[in-house]
Amino acid sequence: MANQKQIPLAVAGLIVIIVVALFFVIKQAMPKRYRPPKVDWTCEACGHQFIAPSVTSPTECPKCGKKEAVRSTYYECEKCGTVFEVYRSKMPPLPASTEGSEDIPPEMMMEMEGLIKKPDGEWVKEMSEEGRKITSELACPECGNNDRKALKYSPPTKK
Ligand SMILES: [Zn+2]
Ligand SMILES: [Zn+2]
């Protein structure tokens, strides 16, 4: 009698193992969906600051609706705890041929050089001398700390 009960149990166990294995096989075979990380944004038109997935910048501001929201990058000073905005960045306007399309061909993205500026400065090319200065010459506005090791990127959720 004991054997008759054990057999269905073994079958059930085997089915569970097969189902679990199939689940992992199917999961592996499915194309992985890319989920862009969330980043800080600032609308250059109305000043609204918000957190949203990292997409092509400039993007539409959820407050005023203008397509002038750009990426904001914040750093935290580990000496005094101040979180400050270091720079804003965006892609240059697209050539007229791609107007209206949301998806920019990757090869075009590769060729385009981003624009960067200090929060109150002028837009310059990311790889230009002025552009590189913005990302390399960091200093805390509160305590003046400019030790790069004591200044670190501040993720959007921390503010
Ligand atoms: Zn706005
Ligand atoms: Zn500081």
Side-chain angles (χ1 to χ4, degrees):
M1 284 304 268
N3 267 347
Q4 273 175 345
K5 267 193 174 175
Q6 274 168 4
I7 291 162
L9 255 179
V11 171
L14 202 66
I15 288 168
V16 168
I17 290 167
I18 290 168
V19 167
V20 169
L22 265 177
F23 172 76
F24 281 107
V25 168
I26 291 166
K27 203 173 161 225
Q28 277 297 314
M30 296 240 285
K32 284 188 181 69
R33 278 239 305 249
Y34 172 68
R35 286 214 186 93
K38 292 198 169 178
V39 295
D40 286 293
W41 293 86
T42 302
C43 174
E44 292 257 279
C46 74
H48 180 54
Q49 293 176 315
F50 57 101
I51 294 166
S54 162
V55 291
T56 313
S57 174
T59 195
E60 200 176 295
C61 168
K63 200 177 173 196
C64 74
K66 286 185 182 157
K67 208 182 171 181
E68 289 187 39
V70 297
R71 295 265 304 260
S72 277
T73 298
Y74 289 81
Y75 269 71
E76 183 182 0
C77 171
E78 289 185 323
K79 285 189 178 162
C80 73
T82 303
V83 174
F84 58 101
E85 189 182 14
V86 183
Y87 59 84
R88 294 180 188 172
S89 52
K90 67 172 182 181
M91 293 312 279
L94 288 170
S97 60
T98 59
E99 236 172 63
S101 76
E102 280 294 306
D103 301 309
I104 302 153
E107 62 275 13
M108 193 175 275
M109 288 292 282
M110 295 290 284
E111 274 174 35
M112 287 199 303
E113 186 180 346
L115 299 173
I116 192 168
K117 71 169 204 170
K118 285 186 177 172
D120 55 355
E122 295 289 321
W123 289 108
V124 293
K125 284 193 170 182
E126 217 172 323
M127 292 301 159
S128 68
E129 202 180 318
E130 303 99 299
R132 283 170 201 257
K133 261 189 192 171
I134 293 170
T135 52
S136 63
E137 292 177 6
L138 300 181
C140 169
E142 201 58 39
C143 72
N145 164 33
N146 61 0
D147 177 5
R148 200 53 207 261
K149 287 192 209 83
L151 293 163
K152 67 165 198 285
Y153 172 70
S154 174
T157 47
K158 278 199 77 180
K159 287 174 286 293

